Amino acid sequence: MEQAEAYIERARQATGLGELGGDTWREGLERLIASARSEANLNQAGIAQLEGMIVMLLMKRLEIEDWYARHPAIDAQEIVAPLMILGLPRTGSTALHCLLGEDPAARVMRNWEGMNPTPPPERATYETDPRIAVMQTHMDRRDRVTPRMKQMLPSTATSPVEDQLTMGYDFRSQIFQASYHIPSYVEWLNHQADLVPTFEYVKRVLKLLQWRCPPTRWRLKNPTYILFVDALDQVFPDARYCMTHRDVAAVIPSVSDLYYEMHKAAADAPDKRWLGELSLDWTELGMRRMIDFRARGNEARFFDIYFAPFQKDPFPVLDRLYAFLGEEFTAEARARMEAWRRDTPRDKHGGHAYDAADFGLDPAALRERVRFYSERYDVPTAAY
């Protein structure tokens, strides 16, 4: 892999643009490159994949800054009281995000605009933007190359998406550990990195996306939030939080297997035990930070959702969530959500099968290690 300056030059040559908007992104980029060089054991496809991702992220940042430079009024947009969906991964949060995205009064980031935020979308063409078809072609190709991904993360070009890629514009994101063996980068991200500039850049992108395309009532989702909730709160002090819960014995092996499927494309022999340790370590750390945050006078800002009852019938839960938000749960929103649920049954593309032991994980030991979380929120255990 090359030095950071080489990728920056590639991005500038590809776009014809020069301004990257400060340098908060530089440390993360340099640490990512160093970690990948010394630790990732990338094959040739993996090197090309990571280098392509780095250049793409720099290009998107250049394009975002160009739009701000030409249209400074964008910065006057306000992001007001967003709902942040957080908690452990694989807890039903994706289904929740998709359901909330069916409400015409709400705004979510969708796959196609998350991947290509410029030019900023316009309301009149939001449903027909040509980037939708381009993104769907990309996703169809992904499903052919890695068919298990469709089982684990069923998604379309218009599905709501996490802002992991948006965080990647500042090179402080879990999007990299999901595909590459980069332990020193992960250690820096989890314990040393300042995520305030990263979430400030996420806000910058949200302003751009809503500038010509209301509504502005944002529903955002990202499991990473639990690790960096203090930084998130500093940037979005009026945010409301929805926390999803599920037995850790079902969650952590599933996350590990998802990472494994993504690592296979970049390295010839992914380390399954490291993936198990990685998944357990960051979820435990995130839950400890989340519990501490909630205990510091923030409980009233949280709405809790439990996996099993939500999967059985989400609508009583959604009724209570809208009451918590102080917003009307309209008949139109409910009908659209019912249609989405009817058309998108769980395991539509087959079940997600995995063996926790492959990742060095034991369900009983997992439950014991994270007992502080499950007992605090009364999370039931279940067969996984």
mmCIF file with all atom_site columns, all heavy atoms in Angstrom, residues 40 188 341:
data_model
loop_
_atom_site.group_PDB
_atom_site.id
_atom_site.type_symbol
_atom_site.label_atom_id
_atom_site.label_alt_id
_atom_site.label_comp_id
_atom_site.label_asym_id
_atom_site.label_entity_id
_atom_site.label_seq_id
_atom_site.pdbx_PDB_ins_code
_atom_site.Cartn_x
_atom_site.Cartn_y
_atom_site.Cartn_z
_atom_site.occupancy
_atom_site.B_iso_or_equiv
_atom_site.pdbx_formal_charge
_atom_site.auth_seq_id
_atom_site.auth_comp_id
_atom_site.auth_asym_id
_atom_site.auth_atom_id
_atom_site.pdbx_PDB_model_num
ATOM 1  N N   . ALA A 1 40  ? -2.920  -6.632 8.329  1.00 0.00 ? 40  ALA A N   1
ATOM 2  C CA  . ALA A 1 40  ? -4.121  -7.129 7.647  1.00 0.00 ? 40  ALA A CA  1
ATOM 3  C C   . ALA A 1 40  ? -3.885  -8.367 6.805  1.00 0.00 ? 40  ALA A C   1
ATOM 4  O O   . ALA A 1 40  ? -4.848  -9.083 6.495  1.00 0.00 ? 40  ALA A O   1
ATOM 5  C CB  . ALA A 1 40  ? -4.730  -6.025 6.788  1.00 0.00 ? 40  ALA A CB  1
ATOM 6  N N   . TRP A 1 188 ? -6.886  2.152  18.576 1.00 0.00 ? 188 TRP A N   1
ATOM 7  C CA  . TRP A 1 188 ? -6.889  3.614  18.535 1.00 0.00 ? 188 TRP A CA  1
ATOM 8  C C   . TRP A 1 188 ? -8.311  4.162  18.462 1.00 0.00 ? 188 TRP A C   1
ATOM 9  O O   . TRP A 1 188 ? -8.675  5.081  19.203 1.00 0.00 ? 188 TRP A O   1
ATOM 10 C CB  . TRP A 1 188 ? -6.085  4.088  17.319 1.00 0.00 ? 188 TRP A CB  1
ATOM 11 C CG  . TRP A 1 188 ? -6.252  5.550  17.028 1.00 0.00 ? 188 TRP A CG  1
ATOM 12 C CD1 . TRP A 1 188 ? -5.675  6.593  17.692 1.00 0.00 ? 188 TRP A CD1 1
ATOM 13 C CD2 . TRP A 1 188 ? -7.072  6.130  15.999 1.00 0.00 ? 188 TRP A CD2 1
ATOM 14 N NE1 . TRP A 1 188 ? -6.088  7.784  17.128 1.00 0.00 ? 188 TRP A NE1 1
ATOM 15 C CE2 . TRP A 1 188 ? -6.933  7.531  16.102 1.00 0.00 ? 188 TRP A CE2 1
ATOM 16 C CE3 . TRP A 1 188 ? -7.893  5.592  15.013 1.00 0.00 ? 188 TRP A CE3 1
ATOM 17 C CZ2 . TRP A 1 188 ? -7.608  8.402  15.236 1.00 0.00 ? 188 TRP A CZ2 1
ATOM 18 C CZ3 . TRP A 1 188 ? -8.560  6.459  14.166 1.00 0.00 ? 188 TRP A CZ3 1
ATOM 19 C CH2 . TRP A 1 188 ? -8.418  7.853  14.268 1.00 0.00 ? 188 TRP A CH2 1
ATOM 20 N N   . ARG A 1 341 ? -43.635 -4.765 6.109  1.00 0.00 ? 341 ARG A N   1
ATOM 21 C CA  . ARG A 1 341 ? -43.464 -5.985 6.906  1.00 0.00 ? 341 ARG A CA  1
ATOM 22 C C   . ARG A 1 341 ? -44.037 -7.196 6.169  1.00 0.00 ? 341 ARG A C   1
ATOM 23 O O   . ARG A 1 341 ? -43.459 -8.284 6.196  1.00 0.00 ? 341 ARG A O   1
ATOM 24 C CB  . ARG A 1 341 ? -44.149 -5.811 8.265  1.00 0.00 ? 341 ARG A CB  1
ATOM 25 C CG  . ARG A 1 341 ? -43.829 -6.944 9.245  1.00 0.00 ? 341 ARG A CG  1
ATOM 26 C CD  . ARG A 1 341 ? -44.198 -6.530 10.654 1.00 0.00 ? 341 ARG A CD  1
ATOM 27 N NE  . ARG A 1 341 ? -43.779 -7.554 11.611 1.00 0.00 ? 341 ARG A NE  1
ATOM 28 C CZ  . ARG A 1 341 ? -44.584 -8.438 12.170 1.00 0.00 ? 341 ARG A CZ  1
ATOM 29 N NH1 . ARG A 1 341 ? -45.886 -8.443 11.862 1.00 0.00 ? 341 ARG A NH1 1
ATOM 30 N NH2 . ARG A 1 341 ? -44.124 -9.318 13.036 1.00 0.00 ? 341 ARG A NH2 1
#
